[in-house]
Each structure stands twice: as structure tokens, then as C-alpha cells.
């Protein structure tokens, strides 16, 4: 089993739609969680950190479920510019390692 | 504020040649990382340096060496390049459990 798993997609959604991605992780000792966005093999860029209480940044909402060991990303009112690959990242304290999922590809269609 | 700077951005090598990829960060981060990303695949950790003076192997270290020259700089060396090392290489830095910051990447082709 991979340490961090994501549905690769692609998720094809119309503009204005709401779309949600999940990511599961296997190490229950994991402490920090992030969503990154990556465009066409450019460098990953931080979208948002994921906090235990859940957090929102504009159209984006991230949630953490420690009991079931998954994090989620919700995108509301999708824009064409949201088309990208979304990477789930998990950090376990003491290992210094960030474990990346393989990414979920999103295509927002006009 | 440059963040994480990688050089070169592009490189073409012949099989058997050697080269060093350079990475520097100006954010006073303790930890630095080298990843490779192949088409259709996620980021794979090659080596990392948790702090100045230390380096450790990641998931795919074979064929690579690293040097943490000082707190700012972390270089990746290919001693004898092979076509299987054709990839995009990303350097990243971070503080403890905070988000990583990435460089623009080096696109390396080995013929």
C-alpha cells in the first residue's frame, strides 16, 4: 500500500461546478498535511496547509479526518484557471520527509 | 526575495558524462531536498538534508550523490549519467514541519 494515495483522475468538470478530491495516508503518526498545485510539470506550489479544524481560503476548503486518515480538498465555483494537478502531501515529524501523492488531475471545461 | 534557485534550467548530456545540479535558498531553511519527477509520475525523493552537515538517502538515491555545502546550498551530482536519469529535477527547502518551497526545476535529458 502506498503511503499517500490519490485518485489520479482526470476529473473533467464544467466551469462553476464544485469538485472534491480525497487523499488517504497510511501513517497514523503523520502530523502535517498540505495541498499543492502543479501546472504541466512546473514546480509544485503550495495551495494550502490543512489544519485539524479544517480551513478555508476563498473558493478552496481543506479538511482533515484523522480517524479515517484522509484529507480532502473542495473547490467551489471552478474556474478554467483551476485546471492543474493537485498534490496531497503528508509530513511525519522525526522523519524530515514529505510524502507526495501522485496527484489528481483536474480539467475545468468552458 | 529569490526563494529557491536552481541552475541550470535545462541540460542535455551524453551517457557517461557527469554534472552537478545546483540549488540555493535564501529563506534560512534548515532542511533541503532533491526530487525527480518522471512523466505521469509523482515526485520521488532522491536525497535530503535535514540540517547543515547531514545528508540522507531518499527513495531513489542510486546514481546520485549530494553535498550540503552550507546552510544555503545543496547540490546534486550525477557521476556517470544514464538515460534512465532523464527527468525533471526539483530542489525544495523547508523549516521543520512547515510547507516546502520549490525551485523552478532542472529539465535534464541524457542521450
Amino acid at each position: 500500500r502506498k503511503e499517500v494515495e490519490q485518485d489520479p483522475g482526470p476529473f473533467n468538470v464544467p466551469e462553476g461546478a464544485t469538485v472534491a478530491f480525497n487523499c488517504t495516508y497510511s501513517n497514523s503518526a503523520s502530523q502535517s498535511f498540505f495541498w499543492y498545485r502543479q501546472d504541466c510539470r512546473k514546480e509544485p506550489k503550495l495551495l494550502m496547509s490543512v489544519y485539524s479544524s479544517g480551513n478555508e481560503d476563498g473558493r478552496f476548503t481543506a479538511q482533515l479526518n484523522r480517524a479515517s486518515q484522509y484529507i480532502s480538498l473542495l473547490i467551489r465555483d471552478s474556474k478554467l484557471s483551476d485546471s492543474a494537478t493537485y498534490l496531497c502531501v503528508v509530513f511525519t515529524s522525526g522523519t524530515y520527509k514529505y510524502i507526495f501523492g501522485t496527484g489528481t488531475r483536474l480539467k475545468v471545461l468552458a | 526575495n529569490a526563494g529557491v534557485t536552481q541552475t541550470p534550467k535545462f541540460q542535455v548530456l551524453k551517457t557517461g558524462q557527469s554534472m552537478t545540479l545546483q540549488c540555493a535558498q535564501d529563506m534560512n531553511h534548515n532542511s533541503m531536498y532533491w526530487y525527480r519527477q518522471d512523466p505521469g509520475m509523482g515526485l520521488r525523493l532522491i536525497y535530503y538534508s535535514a540540517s547543515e552537515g547531514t545528508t540522507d538517502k531518499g527513495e531513489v538515491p542510486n546514481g546520485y550523490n549530494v553535498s550540503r555545502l552550507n546552510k544555503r546550498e545543496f547540490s546534486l551530482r550525477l557521476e556517470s549519467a544514464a538515460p534512465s536519469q532523464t527527468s525533471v529535477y526539483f530542489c525544495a527547502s523547508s523549516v521543520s514541519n512547515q510547507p516546502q518551497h520549490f525551485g523552478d526545476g532542472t529539465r535534464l535529458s541524457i542521450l
Side-chain angles (χ1 to χ4, degrees):
Chain A
R1 182 186 175 188
K2 291 182 180 178
E3 290 188 67
V4 177
E5 294 199 73
Q6 296 182 249
D7 182 340
F11 285 61
N12 297 320
V13 302
E15 270 188 291
T18 295
V19 62
F21 310 135
N22 280 344
C23 166
T24 59
Y25 61 95
S26 61
N27 189 340
S28 59
S30 298
Q31 295 186 314
S32 302
F33 308 88
F34 312 97
W35 282 104
Y36 279 74
R37 170 194 171 126
Q38 186 175 29
D39 293 283
C40 198
R41 300 189 83 204
K42 292 188 176 179
E43 77 275 19
K45 293 184 178 178
L46 179 67
L47 182 64
M48 57 200 305
S49 301
V50 186
Y51 302 117
S52 297
S53 55
N55 48 301
E56 187 174 307
D57 183 1
R59 298 181 293 108
F60 300 86
T61 300
Q63 295 204 318
L64 167 64
N65 185 317
R66 286 192 182 273
S68 299
Q69 294 183 202
Y70 75 85
I71 65 172
S72 63
L73 177 68
L74 181 77
I75 305 175
R76 291 181 298 278
D77 189 21
S78 299
K79 312 291 185 189
L80 293 175
S81 57
D82 293 334
S83 297
T85 297
Y86 291 83
L87 305 173
C88 167
V89 184
V90 174
F91 177 87
T92 303
S93 183
T95 69
Y96 296 97
K97 293 181 185 177
Y98 295 76
I99 308 299
F100 284 75
T102 53
T104 297
R105 190 174 172 203
L106 171 67
K107 293 182 72 173
V108 181
L109 307 172
Chain B
N1 189 344
V4 179
T5 303
Q6 289 183 238
T7 56
K9 294 192 184 307
F10 302 93
Q11 185 70 50
V12 179
L13 293 177
K14 294 181 179 179
T15 298
Q17 286 185 317
S18 62
M19 80 161 294
T20 300
L21 280 60
Q22 307 285 355
C23 176
Q25 53 91 10
D26 61 4
M27 295 173 285
N28 201 35
H29 286 171
N30 292 323
S31 302
M32 297 186 74
Y33 303 79
W34 276 106
Y35 295 91
R36 61 178 288 175
Q37 188 174 34
D38 301 307
M41 296 186 68
L43 288 158
R44 292 187 293 170
L45 182 64
I46 304 171
Y47 270 94
Y48 67 102
S49 172
S51 59
E52 186 179 355
T54 69
T55 60
D56 285 283
K57 294 179 180 179
E59 181 185 355
V60 288
N62 291 344
Y64 305 95
N65 285 301
V66 291
S67 296
R68 182 75 183 266
L69 303 170
N70 46 56
K71 192 170 187 179
R72 290 187 64 248
E73 299 173 286
F74 188 38
S75 63
L76 179 71
R77 182 160 178 85
L78 286 70
E79 292 291 350
S80 179
S84 61
Q85 295 177 305
T86 293
S87 191
V88 180
Y89 290 84
F90 291 107
C91 176
S93 69
S94 69
V95 173
S96 188
N97 62 345
Q98 299 304 302
Q100 289 182 307
H101 296 253
F102 284 84
D104 292 345
T106 295
R107 282 138 186 88
L108 181 61
S109 293
I110 299 163
L111 307 177

